[in-house]
Amino acid sequence: MNEERITEKLNILADAAKYDVSCASSGSKRKNENKGLGNASNGICHSYTEDGRCVSLLKILLTNHCIFDCAYCVSRKNNDIKRAAFTVQEVVDLTINFYRRNYIEGLFLSSGIFKDADYTMERLVRVAKKLRTEHNFNGYIHLKSIPGASDELMNEAGLYADRLSVNLEMPTEAGLKLLAPDKNQQDMIKPMGYLKNAIIKHTEEKKLFKKAPLFAPAGQSTQMIIGATPENDSEVLHSANYFYKNFKLKRVYYSGYVPVLADSRLPALNTAVPMVRENRLYQADWLMRFYGFKVNEIVNTAQPHLDLDIDPKLGWAIRNMQAFPVDVNKADLQMILRVPGIGLLSAQKIVSARRFGKLNWDHMKKMGVSLNRAKYFVTCNSNEFERRDLTGSNIKQFILATSQSKYLKNTQTQLNLF
């Protein structure tokens, strides 16, 4: 292995992979002082297991060559950038070498499209297969499935990868046609449907036969690029809700568009999507998946955009003041979950603890409740902080005066692009 050339490829293909946010990423700064292969700052990202454990993944593209000319993609075929491609064996060797150095615990592998979907997908599958069968590698593997790949290849991928994902890329078919006219959303939906059915089938088989093979045990996910096309937050979240319900996705990732190319169809350069918009979408997504909110309660025709000043749960509460105050000593779990400042674990603690006595503000504070928000929406066994007759706008101003989101930076540019 030519270490100098491999390092060059790694720099190019790890940098190209940074636009895919389908695993939570942050850089590692553990450097190799001897300039050997395996600099931990190249392409390392962090993801999280179901039990909350953080794992480091080698995050790279197999190649940044691509036959498509998607306007939003830095790897589009007509973009003048440095190109590179790994061989299957090079990716396998990198993964094993990084793993032995304790830099990583797994691999996140995506790719531009070489010739066609099957040609590219077959190489991604070969990487995973070699790691599993030749090296007995039991680390985490996340493969980006190639839209349009055959069912046979998707099935084989599921036998070797922990998670598979097919990027929707744009929230709507109209947005995809605008920026990637050569692509067809049905080519993305078809493998998602196959994976859903295959995961269900293998899960049932596993219940009957202990030695039945695992199939994508971490499920499937997808990613949408936000802000490259004019969809509002309601369209984005309704699209996510549709795929959650119909394809049993584990996660939808929202990637704020970063203007890197000049194109009349795209937002102007230096007008990146505000990070706070991306954050609000994730918060709304969390409410849909874990807090029992329906998408129409968060965004709808009358309220198509999420409020950038406050989080979606607080926004819902302010619009529905008739539902409050909530008595934490009597209300059911679903209603307590709707109180701003009370998270999932705190709500469960409240329901469990009140069996042993009435709860007051001190109890709730010890359970992790954010009282600077919750105090306006709940009552408990105490008169302190008792709710006053305040309007929703009053409450919003009080809360904003005492808190500041780290995401509220540069929020002016993207809002009026369309």
Side-chain angles (χ1 to χ4, degrees):
M1 185 184 290
N2 184 326
E3 292 189 5
E4 186 175 331
R5 176 56 182 153
I6 293 299
T7 301
E8 182 185 13
K9 288 184 183 182
L10 187 57
N11 284 327
I12 294 169
L13 296 174
D15 185 68
K18 70 185 179 183
Y19 298 101
D20 198 320
V21 298
S22 296
C23 61
S25 61
S26 58
S28 171
K29 296 298 182 184
R30 185 167 36 164
K31 295 183 179 180
N32 188 327
E33 298 297 333
N34 296 322
K35 298 184 179 180
L37 185 66
N39 188 324
S41 64
N42 285 334
I44 305 299
C45 75
H46 294 157
S47 190
Y48 297 88
T49 62
E50 191 171 341
D51 60 3
R53 187 170 59 90
C54 178
V55 295
S56 299
L57 306 177
L58 174 62
K59 182 180 178 183
I60 54 174
L61 298 185
L62 184 63
T63 182
N64 64 347
H65 290 278
C66 193
I67 63 173
F68 290 112
D69 197 30
C70 306
Y72 49 82
C73 184
V74 71
S75 297
R76 61 190 286 186
K77 68 180 181 181
N78 286 328
N79 194 24
D80 185 17
I81 59 170
K82 208 169 190 179
R83 305 285 179 172
F86 284 122
T87 66
V88 168
Q89 192 59 47
E90 285 171 345
V91 177
V92 171
D93 291 343
L94 275 173
T95 304
I96 295 302
N97 288 335
F98 274 37
Y99 184 81
R100 286 173 177 164
R101 288 169 171 77
N102 201 32
Y103 290 163
I104 62 167
E105 295 177 74
L107 171 68
F108 180 101
L109 183 62
S110 184
S111 183
I113 300 175
F114 283 102
K115 295 181 180 178
D116 55 44
D118 281 351
Y119 184 89
T120 308
M121 191 69 204
E122 187 268 338
R123 278 151 181 74
L124 296 178
V125 171
R126 277 172 54 198
V127 170
K129 185 175 182 178
K130 274 178 168 285
L131 285 168
R132 297 295 194 211
T133 60
E134 296 181 15
H135 296 273
N136 196 27
F137 180 73
N138 290 304
Y140 182 85
I141 297 178
H142 183 156
L143 292 183
K144 275 290 174 161
S145 304
I146 305 301
S150 67
D151 290 350
E152 292 77 14
L153 283 170
M154 295 303 295
N155 182 70
E156 194 172 9
L159 294 174
Y160 299 115
D162 294 282
R163 174 170 286 187
L164 294 166
S165 53
V166 185
N167 280 359
L168 284 170
E169 301 187 16
M170 294 296 125
T172 64
E173 188 170 8
L176 185 67
K177 284 297 181 187
L178 174 66
L179 299 184
D182 295 335
K183 289 188 175 179
N184 186 339
Q185 194 178 66
Q186 287 306 310
D187 287 340
M188 302 166 185
I189 293 175
K190 182 175 177 287
M192 292 172 76
Y194 176 84
L195 287 175
K196 181 196 78 169
N197 294 330
I199 290 169
I200 293 172
K201 174 188 170 185
H202 281 78
T203 301
E204 293 303 315
E205 287 179 354
K206 198 69 179 173
K207 292 177 182 177
L208 298 173
F209 308 103
K210 288 185 178 179
K211 292 188 178 180
L214 291 173
F215 186 90
Q220 66 167 321
S221 60
T222 192
Q223 173 178 304
M224 300 180 192
I225 299 172
I226 308 304
T229 45
E231 292 93 355
N232 57 39
D233 294 335
S234 179
E235 291 174 294
V236 171
L237 290 173
H238 274 86
S239 179
N241 186 60
Y242 171 82
F243 284 97
Y244 275 130
K245 285 188 172 182
N246 292 283
F247 296 91
K248 308 297 183 186
L249 298 185
K250 287 285 187 179
R251 287 290 302 272
V252 173
Y253 290 87
Y254 307 95
S255 174
Y257 174 66
V258 179
V260 292
L261 302 167
D263 191 300
S264 60
R265 295 167 291 174
L266 291 167
L269 296 175
N270 302 315
T271 57
V273 174
M275 188 180 292
V276 67
R277 184 185 179 195
E278 198 176 303
N279 183 52
R280 296 294 181 233
L281 286 168
Y282 278 114
Q283 289 173 327
D285 185 280
W286 209 258
L287 295 182
M288 289 159 48
R289 291 193 293 138
F290 299 113
Y291 285 77
F293 282 79
K294 296 189 184 322
V295 64
N296 281 328
E297 295 180 287
I298 304 169
V299 284
N300 49 53
T301 305
Q303 185 86 22
H305 290 285
L306 296 169
D307 192 329
L308 297 187
D309 291 333
I310 56 176
D311 65 82
K313 190 202 274 193
L314 179 56
W316 177 85
I318 287 173
R319 295 194 303 272
N320 294 272
M321 291 301 294
Q322 72 280 359
F324 301 100
V326 170
D327 187 340
V328 294
N329 288 300
K330 297 179 181 178
D332 61 27
L333 176 62
Q334 286 305 312
M335 194 61 220
I336 292 175
L337 282 171
R338 288 176 173 250
V339 176
I342 299 182
L344 192 61
L345 291 178
S346 298
Q348 292 169 344
K349 288 177 183 178
I350 287 170
V351 173
S352 297
R354 69 189 185 186
R355 293 180 296 172
F356 305 102
K358 290 188 176 295
L359 303 180
N360 58 34
W361 298 109
D362 287 335
H363 294 139
M364 287 197 289
K365 185 175 182 180
K366 290 177 182 177
M367 292 176 189
V369 173
S370 178
L371 293 184
N372 68 322
R373 292 171 178 251
K375 66 184 180 182
Y376 299 107
F377 302 97
V378 299
T379 58
C380 61
N381 190 36
S382 173
N383 289 325
E384 187 181 1
F385 296 136
E386 201 61 63
R387 180 177 180 272
R388 294 168 286 169
D389 187 18
L390 297 172
T391 65
S393 58
N394 291 147
I395 292 172
K396 178 179 177 178
Q397 292 307 314
F398 283 136
I399 291 175
L400 287 176
T402 57
S403 62
Q404 179 66 40
S405 170
K406 65 181 179 180
Y407 298 102
L408 288 177
K409 299 176 183 177
N410 304 320
T411 60
Q412 304 301 315
T413 55
Q414 182 69 16
L415 304 182
N416 297 313
L417 288 175
F418 302 102

